[in-house]
């Protein structure tokens, strides 16, 4: 197409072969970009005339000079070949999309632009509509001019079009996937994969993505699936350089940690950390597992950190600013902190009010009274906005418009704001360095950081963008470096099967779910890992075989015995020392033996005895757990900590917390009281000492320990009298008795074992252990290899088909039945449950309100619990839902 | 006797009767009370709620069948599947049809349905294989692609405001040439995942259209012409100048060997026999009948004779009873 055109225009004689364009680095202009090509197997790139000779008339001229990466990508487009552009958000990827559209329009071809979110589709539609008139929009909400040559749509719509065999499929020459890195999204990523795999064979692609390190891998995949070359244009370039600052909580200044040249400044990073007033010491809320921060609450009588921060930003004229936080609630909460602040002039306020109410006019009068609407306006008027997914769409849109117009100076947003929409600010603030990802608070990944910090710096307005990280806890320089300067997240497949996909594939004559699986990026990535795994396994095997041990057989049996013995000992101890039995004996003054903290971390010794020492018990306390609030925990169930006076070596390493090692009594060290968990106590003796009341002076502690030594030497011959588990502590459990008997049996076995007398036994055992570990690792690698060499998801595919068959969606010959055909058409919610509902007549007699409430449960998954309060008809739904999910479990 | 109109001898008559009786006795256990005629009451559980489907109506508090057929129940939906009725298209069906009219931007096809189906110009891949919008020129050249009385294979795309739409997803759909079109009752076609069969040993394509039209024809290699096209004709400035009819004429000159023609007839006759007897037509059964004919040294024309017909019926009865005992 493109290439046909070009050749016919200027096929003059001189066919100068260009050097193969592998890895051409157009550096030297300051803005480097990397260009690479992936060819499918067996593809011979046809020699083409040097592009400088016969420049075709460009499909579109831009009023500014193109960056190298842009012109490089456009060159590929002119050659009629697919291209993947990987660059930062603000770098100007849209230019490539614009060119592709212009080119298709010139060639009278159709072009499709897909974006992950509706808001982005809408924005791009307006943008393209202004530029080219022949533009249509299709989203779940609206359809405008579906017959236009350039169609903007969400990726989901594009996928369902492909299944339905829309005529657009046969007319589209170029498909533009914006934000293709969305493919790693756990829920929706699969949509991209499916639509790329199913795309018409003869069309070409433009992929626009954030910086991903494995762009080449992605291009290889596209090249393989579609049997066409795919170019990669990658650049790290940012039009507005960034400065990264740290704002320590409780402190009052910014510390530049990464300057605009990308240099990490250790010294000022340390300074920033030193200025940190640790939140944990003043209020111990964090220990309860809740992350209520001083950031939110603020210390009494002081302004909260975020308030100080915003004030400073406004004073230094770093506005507009976007403050990212990771929960909707926190977002609103922070905005409320700003109540005292007013950032707008009077005339701006009037503007805001007009814009706001003209947008709200669409709402009915009742809706205008919603608290969300009424509460928002006063905030907005002061130049403060909130943006998160919980807002009404119309409110979100108004806030976006106000922000673009510069009427909002300070916007509190969640992560969603960082995706797609072109809404940069001068400054970006991270109110948090950790993010809750479903099960724990983890550090923000470098990829997330890159995405969000990409909002800082408006091209052409600001000389540099500013990123501020609010830090409220110590973090290692390496962690910070990882976060601030790490590479972007790589693009990994999040492929998974759904019933809808499966049914759609089964329904059409050419469709084959296995084919889809085989062509998925997931499979591609898995195949790729195999050679690497093979090599690893081989290396490990070699290493294992190089270890030669004499008398391996008997050594091994000895080793096994040892392991058994240890685990039994542990069992016994656990039983005896469980709070149920030991609680009455945890009295002050009792001598206890505790495990030494081994100096070398690897230290699992191979002798029968553990390294123990003695100490005096001072006190014990219950460990507070989060579940304690629920109030009905029995004293036996909770964990206990015991304070013990013993000899310790206290070492401090730098800033980090001091570490305390318990050492044997006779070794050098200072006497100290340490608190150890009950599980670290080895045994309780029956001896109790009288301990002095005041243990603070060092001499007193020293004397006490001397007493302990005296006692020990007195009992040296016959051993310390321990509390007898059965007689003293009244331990009456079968498992205890059984374990004790087995220990006795094992002990006699040890005596018989001749290898135990061998002199180098410890050394040998260590080697043996290493060998065992190697064998285990080889095993796990081999398992991974096996699982990746077979078709990924094969078992799941089988299981899902079985579910469909059992529920009567498909026949045993894989022919889609009536129910299956219905389920095919449901793409946005749980297709099986909904179909079952329909065929069970649940929806038949429902009132409109009931129907709405029932169906809303399907689109809003998070409030699944809501269902329970819905009443009579919905109990039915539960049975059905349970039925189908049980079906899944049974067959899976 | 299934309304057979064959000159049968006395023994043949007895044999056929026995075979048919055997057949009828077999499936009766499966759903004997499920078959209804018009105005039969369909038993439903009123307390539990039910959904009335096609072929049923409510008459003085009872659910009554409005057509003859078999009662089907899917969860709570009750409907009657008719036994002998006109073809009713479903999305995704593979059908064979005949062009009856070339209209603006579309062809109208007879597909054995109560309405004519529509195949849009935009719903097929252009012969040049290039992805582009259809131009007025393409519209003028429509007769070059399909014209009246051409036989076409397509897929049902769905109902739209202006009727039933078809589509041709890939190159393998489209015009069918050098073969026979057979027509028989559509209810004899079993819905399968594949309706498109390439019988390698005979070099023949067999398309069992869901609408009861069957195509038996010489095998054509379905190829994705696109890539070849692009490499071959880089000089053609725009695809507009390509003459569609040229390539088609070139194909027509190709010669179909006599053996293939005979095979076509043989397979076609096998299907005729099956439809005459009212047996379900699947590719396996067809092949069985063909092989039976070969093993009995029947000539192609003898396959339509009464002796073969009786043989097929006996064979089928045997097959089904075997299946029954096995299952």
């Amino acid at each position: 197409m493109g290439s046909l055109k070009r050749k016919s225009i200027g096929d003059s004689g001189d066919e100068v072969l260009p050097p193969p364009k592998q890895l051409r680095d157009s550096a030297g202009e300051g803005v480097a970009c990397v260009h690479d090509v992936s060819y499918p197997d067996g593809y011979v790139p046809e020699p083409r005339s040097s592009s400088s000779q016969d420049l075709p008339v460009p499909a579109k001229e831009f009023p500014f000079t193109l960056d190298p990466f842009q012109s490089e990508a456009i060159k590929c487009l002119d050659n009629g070949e697919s291209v993947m552009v990987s660059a930062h958000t603000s770098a100007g990827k849209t230019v490539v999309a614009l060119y592709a559209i212009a080119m298709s329009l010139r060639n009278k071809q159709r072009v499709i632009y897909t974006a992950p979110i509706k808001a982005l589709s809408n924005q791009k539609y307006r943008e393209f509509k202004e530029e080219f008139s022949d533009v249509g929009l299709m989203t779940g909400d609206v359809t405008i001019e579906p017959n236009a040559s350039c169609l903007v749509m969400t990726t989901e719509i594009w996928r369902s079009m492909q299944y339905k065999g829309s005529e657009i499929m046969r007319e589209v020459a170029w498909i533009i996937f914006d934000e293709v890195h969305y493919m790693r999204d756990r829920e929706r990523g699969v949509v991209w994969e499916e639509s790329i795999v199913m795309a018409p064979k003869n069309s070409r692609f433009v992929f626009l993505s954030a910086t991903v390190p494995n762009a080449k891998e992605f291009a290889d995949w596209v090249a393989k699936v579609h049997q066409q070359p795919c170019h990669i244009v990658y650049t790290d370039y940012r039009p507005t350089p960034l400065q990264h600052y740290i704002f320590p909580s409780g402190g009052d200044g910014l510390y530049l940690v990464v300057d605009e040249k990308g240099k990490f400044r250790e010294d000022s990073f340390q300074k920033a950390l030193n200025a940190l007033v640790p939140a944990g010491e003043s209020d111990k809320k964090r220990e309860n597992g809740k992350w209520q921060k001083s950031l939110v609450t603020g210390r009494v009588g002081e302004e909260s950190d975020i308030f100080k921060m915003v004030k400073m930003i406004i004073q230094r004229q770093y506005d507009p600013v976007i403050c990212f936080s990771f929960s909707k609630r926190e977002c609103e909460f922070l905005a409320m902190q700003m109540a005292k602040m007013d950032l707008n002039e009077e005339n701006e306020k009037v503007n805001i009010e007009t814009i706001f109410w003209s947008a709200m006019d669409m709402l009915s009068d009742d809706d205008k009274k919603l608290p969300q609407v009424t509460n928002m306006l006063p905030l907005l008027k002061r130049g403060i906005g909130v943006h998160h997914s919980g807002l009404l769409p119309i409110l979100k849109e108004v806030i976006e418009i106000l922000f673009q117009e510069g009427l909002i100076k300070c916007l509190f947003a969640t992560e969603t704001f960082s995706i797609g929409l072109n809404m940069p600010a001068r400054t970006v603030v991270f109110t948090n360095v950790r993010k809750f990802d479903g099960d724990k608070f983890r550090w923000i990944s470098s990829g997330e950081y890159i995405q969000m910090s990409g909002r800082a710096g408006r091209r052409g307005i600001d000389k540099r963008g500013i990123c501020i990280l609010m830090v409220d806890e110590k973090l290692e320089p390496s962690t910070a470096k990882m976060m601030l300067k790490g590479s972007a997240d790589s693009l990994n497949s999040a492929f998974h099967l759904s019933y809808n996909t499966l049914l759609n594939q089964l329904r059409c004559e050419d469709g084959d779910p296995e084919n889809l699986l085989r062509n998925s990026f997931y499979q591609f990535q898995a195949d790729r890992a195999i050679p690497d795994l093979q090599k690893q396994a081989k290396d490990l095997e070699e290493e294992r075989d190089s270890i030669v041990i004499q008398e391996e057989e008997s050594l091994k049996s000895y080793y096994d015995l040892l392991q058994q013995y240890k685990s039994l000992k542990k069992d016994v101890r656990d039983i005896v020392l469980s709070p149920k039995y030991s609680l009455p004996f945890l009295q002050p003054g009792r001598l206890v033996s505790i495990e030494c903290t081994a100096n070398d971390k690897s230290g699992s010794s191979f002798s029968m005895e553990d390294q123990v020492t003695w100490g005096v018990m001072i006190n014990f306390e219950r460990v507070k757990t989060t579940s304690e609030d629920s109030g009905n925990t029995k004293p036996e169930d909770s964990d206990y900590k015991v304070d013990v006076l013993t000899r310790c070596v206290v070492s401090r390493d730098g800033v980090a917390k001091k570490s305390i090692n318990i050492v044997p009594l006779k070794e050098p060290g200072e006497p100290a009281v340490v608190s150890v968990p009950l599980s670290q106590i080895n045994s309780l003796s029956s001896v109790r000492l009288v301990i002095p009341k005041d243990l603070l002076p060092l001499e007193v502690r020293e004397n006490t320990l001397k007493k302990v030594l005296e006692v020990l030497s007195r009992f040296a011959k016959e051993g310390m009298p321990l509390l007898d588990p059965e007689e003293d502590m009244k331990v009456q459990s079968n498992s205890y008795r059984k374990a004790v008997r087995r220990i006795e049996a094992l002990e006699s076995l040890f005596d018989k074992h001749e290898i135990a007398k061998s002199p180098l036994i410890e050394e040998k055992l260590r080697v043996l252990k290493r060998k065992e570990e190697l064998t285990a690792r080889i095993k796990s690698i081999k398992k991974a290899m096996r699982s990746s060499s077979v078709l990924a998801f094969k078992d799941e595919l089988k299981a899902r088909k079985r579910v469909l068959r059992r529920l009567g969606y498909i026949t045993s010959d894989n022919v889609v039945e009536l129910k299956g055909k219905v389920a095919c058409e449901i793409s946005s919610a749980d297709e099986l449950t909904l179909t079952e509902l329909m065929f069970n007549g649940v929806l038949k007699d429902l009132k409109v309100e009931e129907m709405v409430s029932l169906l809303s449960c399907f689109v809003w998954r998070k409030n699944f619990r809501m269902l329970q309060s819905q009443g009579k008809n919905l109990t039915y739904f539960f049975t059905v839902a349970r039925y189908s999910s049980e079906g899944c479990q049974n067959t899976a | 006797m299934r309304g057979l109109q064959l000159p049968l001898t006395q023994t043949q008559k007895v044999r056929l009767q026995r075979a048919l009786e055997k057949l009828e006795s077999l499936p009766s256990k499966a759903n004997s009370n499920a078959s209804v005629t018009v105005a039969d009451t369909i038993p439903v559980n009123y307390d539990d709620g039910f959904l009335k489907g096609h072929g049923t109506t409510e008459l003085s508090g009872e659910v009554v069948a409005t057509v003859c057929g078999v009662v089907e129940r899917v969860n709570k939906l009750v409907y009657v599947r008719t036994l002998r009725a006109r073809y009713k298209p479903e999305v995704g069906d593979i059908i064979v049809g005949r062009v009856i009219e070339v209209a603006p931007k579309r062809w109208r096809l007879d597909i054995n349905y109560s309405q004519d189906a529509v195949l849009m110009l935009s719903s097929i891949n252009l012969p040049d294989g290039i992805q582009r919008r259809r131009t007025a020129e393409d519209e003028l050249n429509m007769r070059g692609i399909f014209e009246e009385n051409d036989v076409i294979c397509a897929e049902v795309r769905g109902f739209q405001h202006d009727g039933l739409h078809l589509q041709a997803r890939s190159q393998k759909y489209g015009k069918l040439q050098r073969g026979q079109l057979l027509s028989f009752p559509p209810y004899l076609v079993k819905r399968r995942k594949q309706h498109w069969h390439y019988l390698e040993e005979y070099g023949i394509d067999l398309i069992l259209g869901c609408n009861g039209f069957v195509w038996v024809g010489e095998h054509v290699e379905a190829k994705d012409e696109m890539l070849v096209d692009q490499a071959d004709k880089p000089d053609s400035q725009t695809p507009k100048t390509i003459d569609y009819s040229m390539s088609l004429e070139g194909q027509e000159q190709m010669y179909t060997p006599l053996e293939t023609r005979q095979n076509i007839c043989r397979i076609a006759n096998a299907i005729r026999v099956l439809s005459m007897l009212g047996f379900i037509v699947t590719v396996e059964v067809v092949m069985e009948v063909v092989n039976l004919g070969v093993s009995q040294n029947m000539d192609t024309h003898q396959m339509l004779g009464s002796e073969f017909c009786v043989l097929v019926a006996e064979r089928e009865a045997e097959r089904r009873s075997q299946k029954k005992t096995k299952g």
Side-chain angles (χ1 to χ4, degrees), chain A residues 652-664:
Chain A
R652 297 162 196 277
D653 44 351
V655 210
K657 60 157 195 171
K658 53 186 183 179
S659 65
I660 298 172
N661 287 326
I662 301 167
V663 295

Side-chain angles (χ1 to χ4, degrees), chain A residues 772-830:
Chain A
E772 300 259 292
E773 275 169 10
L774 282 175
T775 318
R777 269 180 66 195
I778 291 171
K779 216 172 170 184
S780 75
I781 287 178
K782 286 217 165 131
K783 200 174 159 203
M785 254 160 65
R786 255 202 310 280
S787 63
S788 62
S789 60
V790 297
L791 187 61
F793 293 108
K794 196 169 184 185
D795 293 341
E796 203 193 329
L797 176 69
K798 242 194 225 157
R800 283 191 181 245
K801 271 193 187 169
R802 218 173 312 151
V803 172
L804 289 177
R805 231 167 271 153
R806 202 167 290 177
L807 293 176
Y809 284 67
I810 56 174
T811 65
S812 47
D813 309 328
N814 289 339
V815 179
V816 179
E817 292 262 44
L818 183 67
K819 279 206 274 186
K821 288 192 176 172
V822 172
C824 266
E825 308 291 337
I826 303 170
S827 57
S828 52
D830 188 333

Side-chain angles (χ1 to χ4, degrees), chain A residues 360 362-374 392:
Chain A
M360 291 305 134
M362 283 175 60
L363 296 177
S364 69
D365 285 340
D366 280 347
D367 288 350
K368 277 181 201 163
K369 290 189 195 111
L370 284 174
Q372 209 178 60
V373 178
T374 49
L392 290 173

